[in-house]
């Protein structure tokens, strides 16, 4: 989406209640996920986007960990969840008047399905399990990192990871909350699903990015991916937060 298209989206009222998430594209990411074209300070070009729904699978586990592959309660089998390694790097920034600065101290939660398309703690047999869920608090440069696996698929949705960024006051009330989903290049997903176990034991997925109404061709929600089908992938994206606005999705 170009700036004009986003502006029209919000002006039309379709974006009402959204806008807490900002995707900053003031500089690219290099292969290691570092910002390019800047020093980590204020960026000159931030793009406002609507948030996306948190969906039915959000559970506030309050689980502080960077490696989210295991069920900490020891109920899941197999444990940790099998799949192609994926490292995630979120560069979280505070947005104001079209400019962004690194946001320290934000709690960034992620959650997603396993290679078989199953979420923990919400679907019958996985009740009481917490695999592929967790949060990290952003450092002085606004960075939160995770180790996980490449997500699987389930019917009706393209491949995605849920993300929620929050800031809390001294009483543990959320004073800022922003919710979105990040997505994967279809060509890379096709290659992973065709060639890597356990993904290749499942049928072909039934939904791709172009058919996903939550993705909605918002290409700024695509992760930057580096890697291969043997050692795994490193993914990065810049996410900006409109501090002081609460949108739970």
């Amino acid at each position: 989406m170009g700036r004009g298209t986003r502006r029209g989206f919000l002006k039309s009222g379709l974006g009402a209640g959204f806008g807490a998430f900002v995707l900053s594209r003031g500089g690219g990411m290099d292969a290691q996920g570092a910002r390019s074209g800047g020093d980590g300070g204020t960026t000159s070009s931030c793009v406002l986007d609507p948030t996306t729904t948190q969906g039915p699978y959000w559970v506030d586990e309050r689980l502080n960990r960077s490696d989210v592959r295991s069920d900490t309660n020891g109920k899941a089998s197999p444990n940790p969840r099998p799949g192609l390694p994926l490292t995630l790097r979120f560069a979280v920034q505070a947005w104001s008047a079209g400019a962004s600065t690194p946001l320290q101290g934000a709690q960034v939660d992620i959650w997603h399905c396993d290679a078989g398309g199953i979420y923990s703690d919400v679907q019958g047999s996985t009740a009481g399990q917490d695999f592929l869920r967790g949060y990290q608090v952003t450092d002085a440069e606004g960075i939160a990192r995770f180790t996980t696996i490449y997500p699987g698929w389930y019917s009706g949705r393209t491949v995605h990871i849920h993300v929620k960024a929050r800031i809390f006051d001294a009483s543990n009330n959320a004073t800022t909350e922003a919710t979105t989903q990040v997505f994967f290049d279809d060509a890379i997903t096709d290659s992973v699903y065709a060639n890597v176990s356990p993904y290749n034991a499942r049928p072909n997925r039934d939904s791709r990015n172009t058919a996903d109404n939550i993705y909605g061709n918002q290409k700024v929600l695509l992760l930057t991916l580096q890697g291969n089908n043997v050692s795994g992938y490193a993914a990065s994206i810049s996410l900006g937060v409109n501090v002081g606005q609460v949108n739970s999705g």
Side-chain angles (χ1 to χ4, degrees):
M1 279 189 178
R3 291 174 182 267
T5 303
R6 289 193 183 86
R7 195 175 294 117
F9 175 89
L10 295 172
K11 195 173 181 181
S12 72
L14 294 174
F18 297 94
F21 241 109
V22 182
L23 298 181
S24 172
R25 292 297 181 268
M29 292 281 190
D30 62 21
Q32 286 72 46
R35 268 186 291 265
S36 61
D39 59 1
T42 301
T43 60
S44 60
S45 178
C46 296
V47 180
L48 183 63
D49 283 274
T51 61
T52 68
T53 176
Q54 69 181 13
Y57 301 130
W58 162 245
V59 181
D60 198 0
E61 303 280 3
R62 300 296 176 105
L63 189 58
N64 185 354
R65 59 175 180 170
S66 60
D67 188 335
V68 302
R69 292 174 291 183
S70 297
D71 166 34
T72 64
N73 297 313
K75 297 180 179 180
S77 180
N79 192 29
R81 305 310 276 181
L84 187 67
L86 175 71
T87 60
L88 293 169
R89 180 188 186 275
F90 296 99
V92 184
Q93 302 180 51
W95 178 88
S96 178
S100 298
T101 53
L103 180 58
Q104 183 177 11
Q107 179 176 309
V108 178
D109 278 88
I110 66 165
W111 66 103
H112 66 87
C113 68
D114 67 7
I118 302 298
Y119 284 84
S120 65
D121 213 11
V122 292
Q123 292 178 295
S125 62
T126 67
Q129 302 173 19
D130 55 21
F131 58 82
L132 305 180
R133 296 179 181 274
Y135 78 83
Q136 287 286 274
V137 176
T138 55
D139 63 18
E141 295 184 346
I143 305 301
R145 294 182 173 88
F146 297 90
T147 299
T148 185
I149 61 170
Y150 205 98
W153 67 274
Y154 55 96
S155 184
R157 287 301 316 276
T158 193
V159 184
H160 62 281
I161 291 176
H162 297 265
V163 186
K164 185 184 288 287
R166 292 178 290 179
I167 299 172
F168 298 92
D169 63 18
S171 300
N172 206 34
N173 299 308
T175 59
T176 298
E177 184 169 353
T179 309
T180 196
Q181 298 176 31
V182 292
F183 299 85
F184 295 76
D185 180 87
D186 273 327
I188 293 176
T189 296
D190 287 343
S191 178
V192 171
Y193 285 7
N195 298 292
V196 181
S197 177
Y199 309 92
N200 58 6
R202 301 187 68 206
N204 291 333
R205 57 190 171 128
D206 62 10
S207 297
R208 301 169 67 83
N209 290 347
T210 53
D212 192 88
N213 61 355
I214 295 176
Y215 172 60
N217 200 36
Q218 297 177 90
K219 294 181 179 178
V220 289
L221 293 174
L222 284 173
L223 291 157
T224 298
L225 291 166
Q226 300 283 339
N228 56 62
N229 291 349
V230 177
S231 59
Y233 287 89
S236 60
I237 195 167
S238 294
L239 299 175
V241 174
N242 193 344
V243 175
Q245 190 169 21
V246 175
N247 281 317
S248 63

